[in-house]
Amino acid sequence: SLNRASVSVSDGSVTITKPNGETLRLKAKSLIALPVPPPLSPEEGLKSQRLPNGFVAELVAHEPQITDPVAFDWDAGGRLWVVQMNDYPTGLDENGKPGGAVKILSERDDRGRYSKSVVFADGIAFPTGVMPWRKGALIASAPDILFMEDRDGDGRADYREVLFTGFEPGNQQHRFNGFEWGLDGWVYAANGDSGGNVRSVKTGKTISISGRDVRFRPDTGEIETVSAMTQYGLRRDDWGNWFGNDNPVWLWHVTLPERYLRRNPQLAVKRVKKMLANYDDATRVFPVSAPMDRPNQPWSLNHVTSGCTPTPYRDSLFGAEFSASVFCGEPVHNAVHREVLERDGSGFRSRRAAGEEKREFLASSDNWFRPVFLRTGPDGALWVADFYRFVLEHPEWISPEMQARLDLRAGSDRGRIYRIAPAGAPRRPVPVLSTMSDMELALAMDSTNGWQRDMAHCLLVEREADGVAPVLVSLLSPARAPQVRIQALAALGSLGSLNEAVAASMLSDPNPWVRCEALRQAEAFTSGAIFDKVAALARDADAAVKLQTAFTLGCWPAGKAESVLTEMAVGASEDLLTAIRSSLKPESALFEKL
């Protein structure tokens, strides 16, 4: 008889309104809380993990050493920096009081667990990202990007500088976050869906980031928008492709870079990203935890509703079958999902991995398990931050009636970080790059591990190490892995040590992604003789190379480029046509025709 009735709870009473308008008001002696499964100890939580055969989970950190982890990264000395959002969801006092922290973990024992931790900074408002930088760290804390440093050597930050400000605070699940090193030497950050008018303190320049992610240079204060808008975790693969997602979407690929599109102010662009995971029933999730009452959207049960941290796997430890895998967090359903990329034109399509058609890569039977952040570690393992809260949803989307029956901060004194690796594989030590010479750093780039290449690249740029060019050039040999060749080429460009002859030679590299990077590097030599080799790639067999060629040609005068662009326009796909249009002037006859 109460079907389609509305129910509200307040002042110790329950009010039921029937569809015909009749109201019943029941006085209650007490409100009964929703049944809450008890939290598991760290060791019990470890046992709750379900992984494919051949993989194991290890605990590397847990409460009380860390609590509420939402992001992490390693510094050049091998230490792990962990961001704690202890003030989620509404502040320590439930009225916005900041309580986030950044901790530094070091000294692992024979089980691989960190035995030492130091509070680097605390009292930070809802922090959402960290990146070790020079002698300190970049920290995301809307409205600011902070640089903090320990200058007196006691382990705690005593220097604080606001580098950029104006990111909208918004809901704590939708704040800007980061960070990721780009092959171009910029640091990238996700918008978070809140936007803002962001000002660089160093340059005074203000930009609107509405609908877009950002990249910036901490040292100079440069900042600009980039295509697409990611909720939590803008990530790059080994080849320079960027991926994002948001809560109801597993994954997308950013296909059209804004820095090219903005060249032609008359260019209209339909989309700048391609949605992946487009197969039948793609949003389906296969949890192993018991279904729980949802605070909203009951129809989303067993479907992706908290997609986050899309993470391309960037190492060889897992084997060749994982070389095109992207892992995604789904904390509402206590799982980590995997998509496998396949080339499709100039971009990708994706599918579930073989053997995971009806299961997730990682699923826990523990309803408190919340995998909110993933990263390929320096050791080749997949590292997972477990926020470990019972209530993950923000109270903004929880009805007052349900809030009255919940402890919104249950689990705020807990948190874990897991390491996922092949069973029996020797545990690699995290490399220490901080003590290496410039030459040793350049040689360290000869690695299949993405973190190691990125950190070596970043340190060489930080040191302005212009004397390492011969070593980096030696890494461009086809005998080296293509991941190494592309990063060495990018590092030469970042250092200003790439000459035209070397750039031209890389346009003939056997790997298409390396040819794409060589095209981007060729844009620095528009006054030279490299044009003919660039133009020749307009007929490349690989669609991604053709797309990048169309973008790169726009760096040359129209008199040289338009004849090639005209040829490319015949039978061109939508993305290729957009790239061609971006390389034309608004007054161009070809632009008008297209």
Side-chain angles (χ1 to χ4, degrees):
S1 66
L2 297 181
N3 189 31
R4 295 184 304 278
S6 64
V7 181
S8 63
V9 180
S10 101
D11 299 327
S13 64
V14 179
T15 301
I16 302 171
T17 304
K18 295 182 179 181
N20 64 5
E22 181 184 352
T23 298
L24 304 176
R25 190 166 184 268
L26 310 177
K27 188 70 176 176
K29 292 184 178 179
S30 65
L31 295 176
I32 301 173
L34 289 174
V36 177
L40 301 183
S41 71
E43 299 297 338
E44 292 171 331
L46 180 63
K47 293 177 182 178
S48 77
Q49 311 296 329
R50 304 289 183 268
L51 285 158
N53 289 335
F55 284 86
V56 295
E58 298 177 354
L59 269 169
V60 293
H62 58 80
E63 73 273 3
Q65 185 182 53
I66 61 164
T67 53
D68 307 315
V70 296
F72 55 79
D73 200 358
W74 294 263
D75 65 20
R79 301 179 302 173
L80 181 64
W81 295 60
V82 180
V83 174
Q84 300 185 164
M85 196 186 286
N86 304 118
D87 39 4
Y88 184 82
T90 54
L92 293 182
D93 59 354
E94 299 188 6
N95 195 33
K97 181 181 179 180
V102 174
K103 284 186 177 177
I104 304 175
L105 308 187
S106 59
E107 299 182 14
R108 295 169 72 186
D109 61 23
D110 57 2
R111 295 184 299 171
R113 300 187 185 186
Y114 287 95
S115 58
K116 181 180 178 181
S117 64
V118 175
V119 178
F120 176 74
D122 54 14
I124 305 171
F126 307 103
T128 52
V130 66
M131 183 178 192
W133 187 261
R134 294 193 178 272
K135 296 180 180 180
L138 306 172
I139 297 171
S141 174
D144 303 326
I145 294 178
L146 305 170
F147 173 70
M148 301 184 75
E149 184 180 339
D150 166 26
R151 293 188 170 179
D152 62 10
D154 66 354
R156 290 186 61 92
D158 47 52
Y159 176 80
R160 180 181 185 274
E161 178 183 2
V162 176
L163 301 181
F164 304 92
T165 190
F167 295 93
E168 283 294 330
N171 180 289
Q172 284 78 9
Q173 291 184 7
H174 293 271
R175 299 190 175 205
F176 93 99
N177 55 90
F179 301 101
E180 189 89 344
W181 177 257
L183 287 173
D184 50 21
W186 293 69
V187 178
Y188 284 68
N191 181 300
D193 297 353
S194 291
N197 292 307
V198 179
R199 178 175 60 87
S200 167
V201 175
K202 291 183 179 180
T203 70
K205 179 181 177 181
T206 298
I207 62 169
S208 168
I209 66 166
S210 175
R212 292 160 295 175
D213 295 323
V214 297
R215 67 176 185 174
F216 62 94
R217 297 187 187 272
D219 294 339
T220 64
E222 297 169 85
I223 187 168
E224 62 183 41
T225 51
V226 297
S227 292
M229 181 172 69
T230 301
Q231 184 172 345
Y232 197 74
L234 176 64
R235 293 293 177 77
R236 174 178 61 80
D237 67 7
D238 289 338
W239 318 113
N241 296 298
W242 288 93
F243 299 90
N245 68 359
D246 55 21
N247 282 168
V249 174
W250 285 126
L251 189 64
W252 62 64
H253 171 217
V254 181
T255 54
L256 303 175
E258 185 183 320
R259 68 187 182 91
Y260 294 123
L261 303 179
R262 70 165 72 102
R263 295 179 302 192
N264 185 340
Q266 297 301 316
L267 175 63
V269 181
K270 292 182 180 179
R271 60 177 178 83
V272 295
K273 63 188 181 186
K274 179 182 178 180
M275 294 294 183
L276 303 178
N278 290 323
Y279 45 86
D280 291 343
D281 205 19
T283 63
R284 183 76 161 83
V285 183
F286 297 94
V288 297
S289 52
M292 300 292 294
D293 286 339
R294 292 178 59 85
N296 55 38
Q297 298 182 348
W299 56 87
S300 294
L301 182 67
N302 295 335
H303 289 267
V304 56
T305 185
S306 58
C308 60
T309 188
T311 305
Y313 180 68
R314 300 185 60 203
D315 199 277
S316 56
L317 180 66
F318 281 19
E321 64 270 30
F322 283 82
S323 62
S325 291
V326 182
F327 296 96
C328 307
E330 172 48 34
V332 162
H333 289 94
N334 323 114
V336 174
H337 175 79
R338 176 161 71 117
E339 287 289 312
V340 178
L341 303 178
E342 297 175 339
R343 288 297 307 276
D344 182 28
S346 59
F348 303 95
R349 59 178 174 268
S350 74
R351 58 172 174 80
R352 279 185 171 269
E356 295 173 23
E357 293 86 356
K358 299 292 183 181
R359 59 161 296 162
E360 302 304 335
F361 174 79
L362 168 60
S364 173
S365 58
D366 182 5
N367 290 104
W368 295 64
F369 174 65
R370 305 297 191 183
V372 297
F373 188 85
L374 314 172
R375 192 180 285 279
T376 308
D379 58 355
L382 180 68
W383 291 55
V384 181
D386 176 7
F387 193 50
Y388 211 81
R389 293 285 192 98
F390 180 67
V391 180
L392 185 68
E393 186 61 275
H394 192 279
E396 181 178 340
W397 294 298
I398 302 176
S399 68
E401 302 85 64
M402 183 172 278
Q403 285 192 44
R405 295 178 287 162
L406 289 171
D407 176 1
L408 297 178
R409 286 180 51 79
S412 62
D413 57 346
R414 298 171 184 262
R416 293 95 193 254
I417 296 178
Y418 294 96
R419 175 185 179 272
I420 313 301
R427 191 182 297 122
R428 287 190 216 156
V430 175
V432 176
L433 304 185
S434 56
T435 58
M436 290 185 179
S437 68
D438 293 352
M439 294 299 183
E440 289 171 330
L441 277 177
L443 289 171
M445 204 173 288
D446 188 9
S447 169
T448 57
N449 181 262
W451 176 89
Q452 181 167 318
R453 294 194 312 275
D454 286 352
M455 181 57 74
H457 184 172
C458 182
L459 290 175
L460 289 172
V461 172
E462 177 184 312
R463 297 179 185 183
E464 300 178 359
D466 55 1
V468 298
V471 178
L472 294 175
V473 170
S474 74
L475 299 182
L476 302 178
S477 164
R480 308 289 183 175
Q483 299 98 314
V484 174
R485 300 201 299 274
I486 196 171
Q487 192 115 28
L489 180 59
L492 283 165
S494 299
L495 293 167
S497 300
L498 182 64
N499 63 49
E500 185 177 357
V502 172
S505 70
M506 297 307 293
L507 292 169
S508 302
D509 190 275
N511 184 279
W513 298 119
V514 178
R515 296 199 296 278
C516 286
E517 181 61 26
L519 282 163
R520 290 188 282 267
Q521 296 298 332
E523 295 167 9
F525 303 103
T526 55
S527 61
I530 201 172
F531 176 80
D532 289 344
K533 293 207 70 171
V534 170
L537 293 181
R539 296 179 290 278
D540 197 275
D542 189 275
V545 176
K546 291 183 71 172
L547 180 69
Q548 184 58 51
T549 302
F551 281 131
T552 294
L553 284 168
C555 298
W556 272 268
K560 297 197 75 169
E562 274 207 19
S563 61
V564 185
L565 292 168
T566 299
E567 177 187 335
M568 295 184 76
V570 178
S573 65
E574 180 182 330
D575 281 356
L576 183 55
L577 277 175
T578 299
I580 293 168
R581 293 184 183 112
S582 78
S583 290
L584 297 168
K585 302 292 184 185
E587 62 272 16
S588 161
L590 177 59
F591 178 68
E592 183 177 349
K593 180 180 179 180
L594 294 177

